[in-house]
Amino acid sequence: MPEEKKRRKMTLGKLRGMQRRSEPITWLTCYDYPMAQIMDASGIDMVLVGDSGAMTVLGHPTTMPQTLEAQLMLTEAVLRGREYMFVIGDMPYMTYEMSHEKAIENAGKFMAIGCDAIKLEGGARVADTVEAMVKAGLPVMGHIGLTPQSAPALGGYRVQGKTADAAKKLVEDAIALQEAGVWGMLVECVPPETMTLIHEAVDVICMSLGAGPDADGQLVIVHDMIGYFAAFHPKFVRKYVDLTEILDGAFRQYIEDVKSKDFPRPEHCYEMSKEELEKLGIDVE
Ligand code: KIV
């Protein structure tokens, strides 16, 4: 009987091996300990502790209010729940723009708590920063296309790379990031044709989020695929379960059970011994 292959911790080397073998890399966002445990056990290759947690978990309207401290707290929770997955820390708004030194110092905080890599947003405009970080020994992932931290400058949360000029500009961004030393990049919300141009232009790992199938793997925001974020549902996400509906049903049932005194029942109560009950004068028969 063939021996079952022992699962080992995901590494950059293994991700590159998957890329070489054209084995799609699975990637989800994750923001807390119990979810990290479930994802880890399911066999997901990578998780991103995205600054999208500012919206999905903390209730902000955009990712911009996310602080470094809050981001590190979410990341530490996820790290406590992982055994095998490759965990990527996401650098919040204005934690890498001020100076190369600040970017290195802040990225170092994610690595010091146990992240496998960090991600930041931007193409050619952040290439200098990426280069300095890579020289400092940091495993940096890029992020181009729709970059939520610069949504106001992009005219809102819009699909990017829809014109030939915009697609060519994104290819230039991808090449600039590769030359700066990233090990991979996320391409968010572009037409599949633009994704193909980018994928063909660089050798590093290219991941798609709403950018079609021609990539080394796929990312989605977990709250979107499990129906746990009511604000909106992006077109590019397949919903696998509707947690909002399931939880709403559970909470309504709980309310009904408590109001009707159906809960708790004896099986939900702790027992006292006969002797102790007798000492209290409570009839046990
Ligand atoms: O914060 C995040 O989850 C992200 C995604 C939008 C990719 O950066």
Side-chain angles (χ1 to χ4, degrees):
M1 235 221 275
E3 234 182 78
E4 211 181 299
K5 231 175 147 192
K6 192 171 165 355
R7 191 172 169 206
R8 289 182 198 278
K9 163 97 185 57
M10 184 55 73
T11 62
L12 206 40
K14 285 186 195 159
L15 291 171
R16 289 191 176 118
M18 292 170 80
Q19 179 196 29
R20 270 195 304 278
R21 296 190 301 277
S22 298
E23 179 186 341
I25 298 167
T26 55
W27 192 18
L28 285 171
T29 62
C30 186
Y31 316 96
D32 63 43
Y33 170 75
M35 190 66 90
Q37 285 190 309
I38 296 168
M39 283 185 191
D40 202 71
S42 76
I44 289 289
D45 298 312
M46 309 203 291
V47 293
L48 171 70
V49 190
D51 65 346
S52 50
M55 298 170 75
T56 55
V57 175
L58 303 179
H60 292 292
T62 70
T63 58
M64 261 114 110
Q66 187 68 327
T67 62
L68 185 61
E69 292 67 34
Q71 191 60 24
L72 286 167
M73 194 181 75
L74 298 180
T75 311
E76 281 180 309
V78 168
L79 286 164
R80 283 184 209 111
R82 80 91 186 258
E83 198 172 337
Y84 301 107
M85 306 180 293
F86 193 84
V87 176
I88 302 172
D90 202 15
M91 297 193 65
Y93 182 57
M94 289 297 150
T95 59
Y96 52 94
E97 289 89 341
M98 303 299 190
S99 68
H100 294 175
E101 291 71 28
K102 209 70 202 148
I104 292 167
E105 184 186 331
N106 288 336
K109 292 183 179 160
F110 287 91
M111 299 307 291
I113 60 172
C115 284
D116 296 298
I118 53 98
K119 173 176 90 56
L120 51 76
E121 296 184 8
R125 82 178 163 81
V126 296
D128 274 4
T129 310
V130 170
E131 196 176 334
M133 293 167 82
V134 173
K135 276 195 185 136
L138 292 159
V140 183
M141 177 176 224
H143 178 171
I144 57 173
L146 172 54
T147 44
Q149 290 171 16
S150 35
L154 296 172
Y157 291 87
R158 291 163 180 270
V159 180
Q160 301 294 304
K162 281 182 88 171
T163 64
D165 282 348
K168 283 183 199 160
K169 167 88 180 45
L170 283 175
V171 170
E172 285 166 20
D173 279 335
I175 293 170
L177 285 176
Q178 172 163 282
E179 285 173 354
V182 296
W183 59 266
M185 67 187 74
L186 170 66
V187 185
E188 178 173 350
C189 257
V190 303
E193 295 78 6
T194 302
M195 180 79 217
T196 298
L197 290 173
I198 294 168
H199 198 198
E200 283 171 0
V202 295
D203 299 323
V204 296
I205 294 171
C206 275
M207 300 293 295
S208 160
L209 170 64
D214 189 5
D216 297 309
Q218 298 290 326
L219 168 68
V220 291
I221 296 203
V222 66
H223 284 51
D224 293 335
M225 61 98 79
I226 62 175
Y228 195 38
F229 188 59
F232 55 85
H233 182 76
K235 163 192 166 89
F236 57 81
V237 178
R238 181 178 289 168
K239 204 190 266 187
Y240 287 82
V241 63
D242 195 341
L243 272 198
T244 301
E245 201 180 300
I246 292 172
L247 294 178
D248 181 67
F251 299 148
R252 283 172 194 273
Q253 187 64 52
Y254 171 72
I255 292 167
E256 199 180 305
D257 291 352
V258 172
K259 300 263 186 213
S260 67
K261 302 193 174 165
D262 180 60
F263 174 83
R265 290 184 183 178
E267 65 265 31
H268 304 119
C269 298
Y270 297 107
E271 280 163 27
M272 222 170 162
S273 69
K274 252 186 182 177
E275 298 81 65
E276 295 304 317
L277 288 171
E278 274 163 10
K279 280 187 216 163
L280 292 169
I282 297 171
D283 190 3
V284 288
E285 293 316 319

